[in-house]
Amino acid sequence: MKKFLIAAIMACLCVFAASAEDTLDLTKPTSQIRFPEDWSLGKWYDAKWDATWEFANNSITLYKGSEKIISFSDNVTDYTCKVSTKGLVMSFKCAETNRTYQFIKPISLSTDIDLVVDRSDVPSSDPNKHWECTMKRQ
């Protein structure tokens, strides 16, 4: 009887695990940046490119030193924000920069954000076609 009960419990756990989705879409793809209420606003430093990303009220701006490089508030397509097993994932495309950006806030107590960038304007052999870095909060 104990073996049957344990087998039944394991079967239920397997069914639940197999049917669970690994991502939950919080928004449909749009052309506007809309931060979830729990998304932290502020500045993060990208050491790879010596740049600062500023997340403000429904806008993202990239700075190199004090010079504003680009504001993404009106330049995005396919904006999505999802909760996944990696954490909170925000992504969008920008035609002006020919890149797809993905910001990931891992499930942790750290304030670091992972940045993943894919370029569409260079061949696959280019070393800057895809890059990832962890940005520290300023």
Side-chain angles (χ1 to χ4, degrees):
M1 183 66 176
K2 288 182 185 177
K3 289 181 182 178
F4 176 74
L5 184 59
I6 291 173
I9 291 172
M10 291 302 289
C12 287
L13 289 175
C14 289
V15 168
F16 289 133
S19 65
E21 291 186 39
D22 81 336
T23 61
L24 172 65
D25 191 357
L26 297 177
T27 62
K28 293 184 176 162
T30 68
S31 61
Q32 288 186 316
I33 297 172
R34 295 186 188 273
F35 293 116
E37 290 181 22
D38 59 347
W39 187 271
S40 296
L41 303 180
K43 294 181 180 183
W44 278 262
Y45 180 68
D46 178 352
K48 179 170 176 71
W49 298 105
D50 189 29
T52 302
W53 291 85
E54 180 179 30
F55 295 84
N57 292 328
N58 295 327
S59 70
I60 300 173
T61 307
L62 177 63
Y63 293 94
K64 180 86 170 173
S66 61
E67 179 187 352
K68 180 168 113 176
I69 303 299
I70 188 168
S71 175
F72 292 99
S73 56
D74 295 324
N75 297 325
V76 301
T77 58
D78 299 333
Y79 172 82
T80 61
C81 189
K82 299 178 180 182
V83 175
S84 76
T85 54
K86 294 179 181 180
L88 184 60
V89 180
M90 179 183 62
S91 65
F92 60 87
K93 293 178 183 177
C94 178
E96 185 176 334
T97 62
N98 293 311
R99 290 168 173 79
T100 300
Y101 299 91
Q102 191 175 62
F103 299 91
I104 304 164
K105 172 55 182 99
I107 302 169
S108 71
L109 296 177
S110 171
T111 57
D112 297 350
I113 294 177
D114 296 329
L115 170 64
V116 179
V117 179
D118 288 302
R119 294 181 63 179
S120 59
D121 63 337
V122 296
S124 297
S125 59
D126 190 307
N128 292 318
K129 172 81 174 167
H130 172 88
W131 73 83
E132 299 180 20
C133 70
T134 299
M135 300 190 300
K136 304 286 183 192
R137 186 174 180 127
Q138 301 222 309

PDB file of all heavy atoms in Angstrom, residues 76-92:
ATOM      1  N   VAL A  76      10.842  51.366 -30.059  1.00  0.00           N
ATOM      2  CA  VAL A  76      10.800  49.925 -29.815  1.00  0.00           C
ATOM      3  C   VAL A  76       9.659  49.258 -30.576  1.00  0.00           C
ATOM      4  O   VAL A  76       8.644  49.876 -30.880  1.00  0.00           O
ATOM      5  CB  VAL A  76      10.664  49.597 -28.303  1.00  0.00           C
ATOM      6  CG1 VAL A  76      11.818  50.176 -27.525  1.00  0.00           C
ATOM      7  CG2 VAL A  76       9.346  50.054 -27.742  1.00  0.00           C
ATOM      8  N   THR A  77       9.885  47.984 -30.893  1.00  0.00           N
ATOM      9  CA  THR A  77       8.831  47.130 -31.431  1.00  0.00           C
ATOM     10  C   THR A  77       8.914  45.804 -30.687  1.00  0.00           C
ATOM     11  O   THR A  77       9.954  45.478 -30.092  1.00  0.00           O
ATOM     12  CB  THR A  77       9.003  46.877 -32.943  1.00  0.00           C
ATOM     13  OG1 THR A  77      10.275  46.275 -33.169  1.00  0.00           O
ATOM     14  CG2 THR A  77       8.882  48.154 -33.737  1.00  0.00           C
ATOM     15  N   ASP A  78       7.844  45.074 -30.706  1.00  0.00           N
ATOM     16  CA  ASP A  78       7.787  43.745 -30.067  1.00  0.00           C
ATOM     17  C   ASP A  78       8.211  43.761 -28.606  1.00  0.00           C
ATOM     18  O   ASP A  78       8.890  42.857 -28.146  1.00  0.00           O
ATOM     19  CB  ASP A  78       8.647  42.738 -30.844  1.00  0.00           C
ATOM     20  CG  ASP A  78       8.160  42.567 -32.261  1.00  0.00           C
ATOM     21  OD1 ASP A  78       6.951  42.769 -32.500  1.00  0.00           O
ATOM     22  OD2 ASP A  78       8.982  42.231 -33.124  1.00  0.00           O
ATOM     23  N   TYR A  79       7.810  44.788 -27.877  1.00  0.00           N
ATOM     24  CA  TYR A  79       8.120  44.852 -26.450  1.00  0.00           C
ATOM     25  C   TYR A  79       7.344  43.775 -25.705  1.00  0.00           C
ATOM     26  O   TYR A  79       6.137  43.627 -25.884  1.00  0.00           O
ATOM     27  CB  TYR A  79       7.751  46.229 -25.894  1.00  0.00           C
ATOM     28  CG  TYR A  79       7.863  46.307 -24.401  1.00  0.00           C
ATOM     29  CD1 TYR A  79       9.078  46.517 -23.779  1.00  0.00           C
ATOM     30  CD2 TYR A  79       6.744  46.129 -23.599  1.00  0.00           C
ATOM     31  CE1 TYR A  79       9.178  46.566 -22.408  1.00  0.00           C
ATOM     32  CE2 TYR A  79       6.839  46.174 -22.223  1.00  0.00           C
ATOM     33  CZ  TYR A  79       8.065  46.391 -21.632  1.00  0.00           C
ATOM     34  OH  TYR A  79       8.169  46.427 -20.271  1.00  0.00           O
ATOM     35  N   THR A  80       8.041  42.990 -24.909  1.00  0.00           N
ATOM     36  CA  THR A  80       7.382  41.992 -24.060  1.00  0.00           C
ATOM     37  C   THR A  80       8.007  42.013 -22.680  1.00  0.00           C
ATOM     38  O   THR A  80       9.166  42.392 -22.498  1.00  0.00           O
ATOM     39  CB  THR A  80       7.504  40.561 -24.624  1.00  0.00           C
ATOM     40  OG1 THR A  80       8.874  40.209 -24.709  1.00  0.00           O
ATOM     41  CG2 THR A  80       6.849  40.439 -25.980  1.00  0.00           C
ATOM     42  N   CYS A  81       7.236  41.599 -21.730  1.00  0.00           N
ATOM     43  CA  CYS A  81       7.707  41.452 -20.362  1.00  0.00           C
ATOM     44  C   CYS A  81       7.133  40.149 -19.849  1.00  0.00           C
ATOM     45  O   CYS A  81       5.921  39.964 -19.845  1.00  0.00           O
ATOM     46  CB  CYS A  81       7.252  42.630 -19.519  1.00  0.00           C
ATOM     47  SG  CYS A  81       8.000  42.652 -17.890  1.00  0.00           S
ATOM     48  N   LYS A  82       8.013  39.241 -19.445  1.00  0.00           N
ATOM     49  CA  LYS A  82       7.582  37.909 -19.034  1.00  0.00           C
ATOM     50  C   LYS A  82       8.248  37.518 -17.726  1.00  0.00           C
ATOM     51  O   LYS A  82       9.332  37.978 -17.410  1.00  0.00           O
ATOM     52  CB  LYS A  82       7.969  36.867 -20.090  1.00  0.00           C
ATOM     53  CG  LYS A  82       7.355  37.077 -21.437  1.00  0.00           C
ATOM     54  CD  LYS A  82       7.829  36.038 -22.416  1.00  0.00           C
ATOM     55  CE  LYS A  82       7.200  36.271 -23.782  1.00  0.00           C
ATOM     56  NZ  LYS A  82       7.597  35.247 -24.738  1.00  0.00           N
ATOM     57  N   VAL A  83       7.582  36.642 -17.023  1.00  0.00           N
ATOM     58  CA  VAL A  83       8.166  36.002 -15.861  1.00  0.00           C
ATOM     59  C   VAL A  83       8.548  34.597 -16.300  1.00  0.00           C
ATOM     60  O   VAL A  83       7.733  33.882 -16.878  1.00  0.00           O
ATOM     61  CB  VAL A  83       7.166  35.942 -14.684  1.00  0.00           C
ATOM     62  CG1 VAL A  83       7.758  35.169 -13.524  1.00  0.00           C
ATOM     63  CG2 VAL A  83       6.771  37.343 -14.258  1.00  0.00           C
ATOM     64  N   SER A  84       9.808  34.233 -16.095  1.00  0.00           N
ATOM     65  CA  SER A  84      10.260  32.904 -16.497  1.00  0.00           C
ATOM     66  C   SER A  84      11.054  32.283 -15.359  1.00  0.00           C
ATOM     67  O   SER A  84      11.195  32.883 -14.292  1.00  0.00           O
ATOM     68  CB  SER A  84      11.122  32.987 -17.761  1.00  0.00           C
ATOM     69  OG  SER A  84      12.407  33.467 -17.459  1.00  0.00           O
ATOM     70  N   THR A  85      11.580  31.122 -15.611  1.00  0.00           N
ATOM     71  CA  THR A  85      12.409  30.459 -14.598  1.00  0.00           C
ATOM     72  C   THR A  85      13.709  31.222 -14.374  1.00  0.00           C
ATOM     73  O   THR A  85      14.364  31.034 -13.353  1.00  0.00           O
ATOM     74  CB  THR A  85      12.722  29.015 -15.017  1.00  0.00           C
ATOM     75  OG1 THR A  85      13.307  29.030 -16.319  1.00  0.00           O
ATOM     76  CG2 THR A  85      11.456  28.171 -15.032  1.00  0.00           C
ATOM     77  N   LYS A  86      14.092  32.097 -15.308  1.00  0.00           N
ATOM     78  CA  LYS A  86      15.284  32.934 -15.154  1.00  0.00           C
ATOM     79  C   LYS A  86      15.007  34.141 -14.270  1.00  0.00           C
ATOM     80  O   LYS A  86      15.920  34.715 -13.694  1.00  0.00           O
ATOM     81  CB  LYS A  86      15.763  33.437 -16.513  1.00  0.00           C
ATOM     82  CG  LYS A  86      16.262  32.372 -17.440  1.00  0.00           C
ATOM     83  CD  LYS A  86      16.690  33.014 -18.753  1.00  0.00           C
ATOM     84  CE  LYS A  86      17.167  32.003 -19.738  1.00  0.00           C
ATOM     85  NZ  LYS A  86      17.571  32.636 -21.006  1.00  0.00           N
ATOM     86  N   GLY A  87      13.762  34.577 -14.206  1.00  0.00           N
ATOM     87  CA  GLY A  87      13.385  35.770 -13.458  1.00  0.00           C
ATOM     88  C   GLY A  87      12.462  36.619 -14.309  1.00  0.00           C
ATOM     89  O   GLY A  87      11.767  36.121 -15.192  1.00  0.00           O
ATOM     90  N   LEU A  88      12.472  37.926 -14.094  1.00  0.00           N
ATOM     91  CA  LEU A  88      11.670  38.857 -14.874  1.00  0.00           C
ATOM     92  C   LEU A  88      12.458  39.211 -16.130  1.00  0.00           C
ATOM     93  O   LEU A  88      13.598  39.670 -16.059  1.00  0.00           O
ATOM     94  CB  LEU A  88      11.368  40.117 -14.066  1.00  0.00           C
ATOM     95  CG  LEU A  88      10.456  41.144 -14.698  1.00  0.00           C
ATOM     96  CD1 LEU A  88       9.086  40.550 -14.990  1.00  0.00           C
ATOM     97  CD2 LEU A  88      10.314  42.354 -13.808  1.00  0.00           C
ATOM     98  N   VAL A  89      11.864  38.974 -17.307  1.00  0.00           N
ATOM     99  CA  VAL A  89      12.550  39.170 -18.581  1.00  0.00           C
ATOM    100  C   VAL A  89      11.794  40.217 -19.394  1.00  0.00           C
ATOM    101  O   VAL A  89      10.626  40.031 -19.727  1.00  0.00           O
ATOM    102  CB  VAL A  89      12.633  37.855 -19.388  1.00  0.00           C
ATOM    103  CG1 VAL A  89      13.349  38.086 -20.707  1.00  0.00           C
ATOM    104  CG2 VAL A  89      13.316  36.772 -18.579  1.00  0.00           C
ATOM    105  N   MET A  90      12.481  41.310 -19.713  1.00  0.00           N
ATOM    106  CA  MET A  90      11.914  42.357 -20.543  1.00  0.00           C
ATOM    107  C   MET A  90      12.711  42.384 -21.839  1.00  0.00           C
ATOM    108  O   MET A  90      13.937  42.396 -21.804  1.00  0.00           O
ATOM    109  CB  MET A  90      12.010  43.712 -19.848  1.00  0.00           C
ATOM    110  CG  MET A  90      11.457  44.841 -20.676  1.00  0.00           C
ATOM    111  SD  MET A  90      11.646  46.460 -19.913  1.00  0.00           S
ATOM    112  CE  MET A  90      13.406  46.606 -19.803  1.00  0.00           C
ATOM    113  N   SER A  91      12.028  42.382 -22.987  1.00  0.00           N
ATOM    114  CA  SER A  91      12.752  42.399 -24.261  1.00  0.00           C
ATOM    115  C   SER A  91      12.036  43.276 -25.268  1.00  0.00           C
ATOM    116  O   SER A  91      10.825  43.501 -25.173  1.00  0.00           O
ATOM    117  CB  SER A  91      12.914  40.986 -24.804  1.00  0.00           C
ATOM    118  OG  SER A  91      11.664  40.433 -25.120  1.00  0.00           O
ATOM    119  N   PHE A  92      12.815  43.778 -26.232  1.00  0.00           N
ATOM    120  CA  PHE A  92      12.257  44.571 -27.315  1.00  0.00           C
ATOM    121  C   PHE A  92      13.261  44.640 -28.450  1.00  0.00           C
ATOM    122  O   PHE A  92      14.438  44.337 -28.281  1.00  0.00           O
ATOM    123  CB  PHE A  92      11.868  45.984 -26.857  1.00  0.00           C
ATOM    124  CG  PHE A  92      13.002  46.806 -26.304  1.00  0.00           C
ATOM    125  CD1 PHE A  92      13.810  47.564 -27.141  1.00  0.00           C
ATOM    126  CD2 PHE A  92      13.253  46.832 -24.943  1.00  0.00           C
ATOM    127  CE1 PHE A  92      14.834  48.341 -26.635  1.00  0.00           C
ATOM    128  CE2 PHE A  92      14.280  47.599 -24.426  1.00  0.00           C
ATOM    129  CZ  PHE A  92      15.079  48.360 -25.271  1.00  0.00           C
TER     130      PHE A  92
END
